[in-house]
Amino acid sequence: DVKVTQSSRYLVKRTGEKVFLECVQDMDHENMFWYRQDPGLGLRLIYFSYDVKMKEKGDIPEGYSVSREKKERFSLILESASTNQTSMYLCASSSYLGGAEQYFGPGTRLTVT
Amino acid sequence: DQQVKQNSPSLSVQEGRISILNCDYTNSMFDYFLWYKKYPAEGPTFLISISSIKDKNEDGRFTVFLNKSAKHLSLHIVPSQPGDSAVYFCAASANTGNQFYFGTGTSLTVIP
């Protein structure tokens, strides 16, 4: 059974704090993704990675960075959290780019106050 | 600019009837399409996909239709069941590309 796990389901942080969101997959997938989901905007891609230590910007990378030191782990970093980063964050993985379904984690609801 | 659009934010259907969810796209390079289902407080789960070489793909109660000339796809659920109540996202990608583009989602409610 495929599994993508995220370190926290709910997180509350203060403006200006550095925030780490962790994602781990156990499917030996090459590709991992970070999305945010906001009402009326659907899922928007923040960053993705197709290999260890590789990363590509998605549609909304501003204010975020990522780290992929191991194949199974992909971290999203908010260097200085702001209230407009309050959102649902979803991690996903897939076995190859383009033509494969993505498996999603349960999401992290982040609130920045 | 939204490349994948779901113009109906919500849909209500009686149990046992057909649910039709629609999705439009603007990028003619898209050649692979997926539908995901999302329950509250859970991540999206893959439902069904279709490649541009086909115009229909069926999996049990779920059928996806693709009209390439109109840049339109639809998901049909027959018969609809209360457990189908969820938010449905369509997504598209180009094989030569590097990401999926998601629509804004349609919230389906199946009324018992």
Side-chain angles (χ1 to χ4, degrees):
Chain A
D1 194 21
V2 298
K3 205 85 182 251
V4 178
T5 56
Q6 295 183 227
S7 50
S8 306
R9 294 299 300 268
Y10 300 94
L11 211 51
V12 179
K13 294 292 181 180
R14 293 190 182 275
T15 301
E17 277 193 87
K18 190 168 186 175
V19 182
F20 292 87
L21 301 182
E22 302 283 335
C23 176
V24 178
Q25 51 97 2
D26 65 359
M27 296 162 281
D28 201 36
H29 282 168
E30 292 81 14
N31 311 310
M32 297 187 75
F33 307 81
W34 274 107
Y35 295 89
R36 63 179 282 177
Q37 182 195 357
D38 300 288
L41 296 176
L43 275 69
R44 293 181 293 165
L45 183 65
I46 304 171
Y47 267 98
F48 65 98
S49 169
Y50 52 87
D51 201 353
V52 175
K53 296 193 186 294
M54 304 303 288
K55 61 184 179 185
E56 292 280 347
K57 292 180 180 179
D59 296 321
I60 50 165
E62 296 79 19
Y64 303 94
S65 61
V66 291
S67 172
R68 193 160 179 209
E69 297 296 319
K70 293 185 178 181
K71 189 176 186 180
E72 68 272 16
R73 189 179 297 270
F74 193 34
S75 302
L76 180 69
I77 303 151
L78 286 67
E79 295 290 341
S80 177
S82 62
T83 54
N84 62 14
Q85 292 179 309
T86 292
S87 186
M88 169 68 83
Y89 289 87
L90 292 159
C91 174
S93 71
S94 70
S95 61
Y96 60 91
L97 285 165
E101 65 181 271
Q102 296 179 6
Y103 294 86
F104 282 84
T108 296
R109 170 70 65 184
L110 172 67
T111 302
V112 182
T113 60
Chain B
D1 188 30
Q2 197 81 21
Q3 297 192 56
V4 179
K5 299 178 184 178
Q6 293 175 258
N7 292 319
S8 298
S10 62
L11 176 68
S12 290
V13 170
Q14 208 70 32
E15 181 179 4
R17 307 292 280 265
I18 184 171
S19 295
I20 300 176
L21 294 93
N22 294 305
C23 181
D24 297 293
Y25 60 96
T26 56
N27 190 338
S28 57
M29 297 299 292
F30 288 153
D31 56 7
Y32 191 66
F33 306 88
L34 303 92
W35 284 94
Y36 283 86
K37 177 179 179 178
K38 185 181 184 301
Y39 292 117
E42 292 183 16
T45 54
F46 170 73
L47 196 56
I48 192 169
S49 64
I50 188 166
S51 162
S52 60
I53 62 172
K54 293 185 170 184
D55 53 20
K56 176 182 173 181
N57 189 25
E58 200 169 345
D59 183 2
R61 296 186 297 113
F62 302 91
T63 303
V64 57
F65 295 92
L66 176 62
N67 182 334
K68 291 184 286 294
S69 61
K71 295 193 182 69
H72 176 83
L73 63 155
S74 61
L75 174 68
H76 293 210
I77 307 173
V78 183
S80 301
Q81 299 173 354
D84 296 329
S85 297
V87 177
Y88 290 78
F89 292 97
C90 65
S93 77
N95 264 336
T96 55
N98 50 22
Q99 66 179 82
F100 278 97
Y101 295 86
F102 282 80
T104 52
T106 296
S107 178
L108 173 66
T109 302
V110 180
I111 304 161

